[in-house]
Amino acid sequence: MVSNRYCPFVLAAVVFMTFSHAVAYDPLDPTGNITIKWDVISWTPDGYLAMVTMTNFQMYRHIMSPGWTLGWTWARKEVIWSMVGAQATEQGDCSKFKINIPHCCKRNPTVVDLLPGVPYNQQIANCCKGGVVASWGQDPSAAVSSFQLSVGISGTSNKTVRLPKNFTLSGPGRGYTCSQAKTVPPSVFISADGRRRTQAMMTWNVTCSYSQILASQHPTCCVSMSSFYNSTITPCPACACGCQNKNNCVASDSQIRSVVGINTPSNAPLLHCTQHMCPIRMHWHVKLNYKEYWRVKITVTNFNYQINYTQWTLVVQHPNLNNVTEVFSFSYKPLIPYKSTNDTGMFYGIKFYNDVLMQSGPEGNVQSELILEKDINTFSFKQGWAFPRKVYFNGDECTMPLPEYYPYLPNSAHGTFSTLPPFLLLILLAFW
């Protein structure tokens, strides 16, 4: 038995272990991760040539500009002789090499993707996108990033090569935790004509999982609500995103030119002054009620003057998303993490139309409307049923208002019901 005096410490350890594993688990994307595959393609006189492939299996969390940064620690004194499709950010101390100078001599190199438009002799397939990687649910063909490197002083066989350690991934900020490299069965490659199969000399995998708690101390988005049957608008909760930038915000769009660039780092948020102080707000408006259908308007607003959100994604959990009839202006894809439920959907922009959510200002919003078919067994406007259960923007969960502040349904002809405009009363009487 454990002594009573040790119980608090044991309990704390159990809670810590449970929490540390749980924070990286996303119930709406339980198998989502970024897998890094390291294939040794051939041996060289003092090392090997490897292909490194990063695949984003997350359904709705992508890596946006300025892109990914990958790091690791060599097991011995390995060097990178050359790279194609990526580059190390620092060369390190290569003074002991007199003739051929390596690309990188650091014990813990940091690698970034090349920018689009580099010469063809520096490119390989799935490289050179500035580190931008799409989510698997949005575009599987763009959810892969690759580069090639020649490693020296590393051993020249499966028995002498040592796996790198302590992998780190930024995408572009913090949030990812990577496992140790693990040897797996060698990858198999099929020739372009499909008639020949080859395999890697050696392959190891690294799995990186995302945790919103590690990425940011505060939420990065919030949700507000309104409805046709109530004149009250439910705003985002006050300081929904922490209000940490309250003293460094812009009061109006006309002031932005006098503020940008003054004591503001390029990677720091510069927000429009709001009560919630969130970079992103999603507004859910219950717009119309038909006999067999109902209509919702979604508006996503960018309050950040520093960032254009490219390839943005919006995930909504609502029980009636199993009966979506039509979505206007957005692309839509149902997400079914569990076979027993179909209540989650992903919205994202149409390419070259609204797939970029512009910086704060007149153009800093995107809008859509969706029509949903009613299920007579479950449909209701009562008790906040018409509003989403969870909302994610770019993979981060948004702060929701408390249920008691949701727009409520009038339940009598007195009070709130009598204050509604006549045309709303007619709609309610006709269809409710």
Side-chain angles (χ1 to χ4, degrees):
M1 291 182 64
V2 179
S3 173
N4 288 339
R5 69 174 188 171
Y6 293 114
C7 284
F9 301 101
V10 173
L11 179 60
V14 171
V15 170
F16 172 79
M17 292 173 62
T18 303
F19 182 77
S20 63
H21 288 284
V23 291
Y25 176 77
D26 186 345
L28 300 186
D29 189 14
T31 59
N33 64 64
I34 293 181
T35 299
I36 302 167
K37 185 175 66 170
W38 194 300
D39 290 312
V40 176
I41 304 300
S42 61
W43 302 113
T44 60
D46 70 336
Y48 59 85
L49 183 69
M51 179 70 72
V52 180
T53 303
M54 183 186 308
T55 306
N56 183 11
F57 291 110
Q58 298 175 112
M59 292 302 296
Y60 47 80
R61 183 178 293 107
H62 66 288
I63 297 177
M64 60 182 291
S65 181
W68 56 262
T69 300
L70 180 64
W72 63 84
T73 302
W74 292 116
R76 294 173 177 170
K77 296 182 179 181
E78 293 91 336
V79 297
I80 301 175
W81 283 114
S82 62
M83 297 189 72
V84 180
Q87 63 182 359
T89 58
E90 297 182 51
Q91 184 183 41
D93 183 7
C94 295
S95 58
K96 68 178 181 180
F97 296 90
K98 305 303 180 183
I99 302 177
N100 296 325
I101 307 300
H103 176 77
C104 178
C105 300
K106 287 183 68 68
R107 176 84 189 280
N108 52 341
T110 300
V111 173
V112 295
D113 193 14
L114 295 181
L115 297 175
V118 298
Y120 287 110
N121 62 354
Q122 299 179 29
Q123 298 184 28
I124 60 170
N126 298 314
C127 85
C128 312
K129 297 178 287 187
V132 175
V133 183
S135 63
W136 190 261
Q138 191 170 358
D139 186 0
S141 65
V144 181
S145 185
S146 301
F147 61 89
Q148 182 178 287
L149 73 167
S150 177
V151 182
I153 318 178
S154 64
T156 56
S157 71
N158 291 20
K159 294 183 179 180
T160 56
V161 168
R162 295 292 179 265
L163 277 58
K165 301 179 292 183
N166 303 328
F167 279 83
T168 60
L169 175 65
S170 299
R174 301 182 304 167
Y176 287 96
T177 302
C178 298
S179 68
Q180 292 298 324
K182 179 181 180 181
T183 304
V184 297
S187 299
V188 176
F189 308 99
I190 302 175
S191 62
D193 60 8
R195 302 174 66 184
R196 175 172 167 78
R197 296 164 63 91
T198 58
Q199 72 176 42
M201 305 296 175
M202 186 179 182
T203 299
W204 57 82
N205 279 0
V206 176
T207 302
C208 300
S209 301
Y210 181 83
S211 167
Q212 185 174 346
I213 295 177
L214 294 178
S216 176
Q217 182 180 359
H218 304 283
T220 56
C221 57
C222 65
V223 178
S224 58
M225 302 171 177
S226 61
S227 63
F228 71 89
Y229 54 75
N230 194 312
S231 59
T232 302
I233 296 177
T234 301
C236 287
C239 289
C241 295
C243 282
Q244 67 270 27
N245 298 301
K246 192 70 174 179
N247 297 323
N248 189 31
C249 60
V250 180
S252 65
D253 295 341
S254 61
Q255 297 179 4
I256 184 61
R257 290 186 179 180
S258 63
V259 176
V260 171
I262 301 178
N263 300 323
T264 304
S266 58
N267 60 346
L270 181 60
L271 303 182
H272 187 92
C273 296
T274 59
Q275 183 185 20
H276 52 78
M277 290 304 295
C278 291
I280 295 293
R281 181 193 68 194
M282 191 278 272
H283 185 78
W284 179 280
H285 175 63
V286 181
K287 187 176 182 180
L288 289 172
N289 184 24
Y290 307 111
K291 184 175 182 179
E292 297 181 356
Y293 302 90
W294 61 297
R295 192 180 187 108
V296 171
K297 181 177 181 179
I298 295 174
T299 304
V300 183
T301 305
N302 183 2
F303 291 97
N304 194 339
Y305 286 102
Q306 295 281 64
I307 296 179
N308 288 338
Y309 290 93
T310 58
Q311 297 181 339
W312 58 268
T313 60
L314 181 74
V315 172
V316 177
Q317 186 179 37
H318 188 283
N320 209 178
L321 287 180
N322 61 344
N323 283 323
V324 173
T325 302
E326 191 166 1
V327 177
F328 303 93
S329 302
F330 288 176
S331 299
Y332 173 75
K333 177 180 291 185
L335 299 178
I336 309 177
Y338 310 101
K339 294 182 180 180
S340 59
T341 58
N342 178 17
D343 63 353
T344 306
M346 179 175 70
F347 302 87
Y348 51 98
I350 299 171
K351 196 169 186 179
F352 305 123
Y353 174 58
N354 59 354
D355 58 333
V356 178
L357 177 55
M358 303 298 289
Q359 297 175 3
S360 183
E363 304 297 323
N365 68 87
V366 289
Q367 302 179 18
S368 175
E369 294 191 9
L370 53 153
I371 298 177
L372 305 99
E373 185 177 3
K374 295 179 180 178
D375 182 346
I376 60 174
N377 296 319
T378 59
F379 181 82
S380 173
F381 280 136
K382 297 179 180 179
Q383 299 176 342
W385 184 93
F387 299 102
R389 307 309 188 252
K390 285 186 178 181
V391 174
Y392 292 71
F393 180 81
N394 278 359
D396 286 344
E397 186 173 353
C398 302
T399 302
M400 302 283 293
L402 293 175
E404 55 263 34
Y405 297 118
Y406 285 18
Y408 59 86
L409 181 70
N411 54 11
S412 69
H414 304 286
T416 304
F417 221 137
S418 60
T419 64
L420 291 175
F423 75 94
L424 293 185
L425 286 172
L426 291 175
I427 292 174
L428 284 173
L429 294 174
F431 297 108
W432 181 250

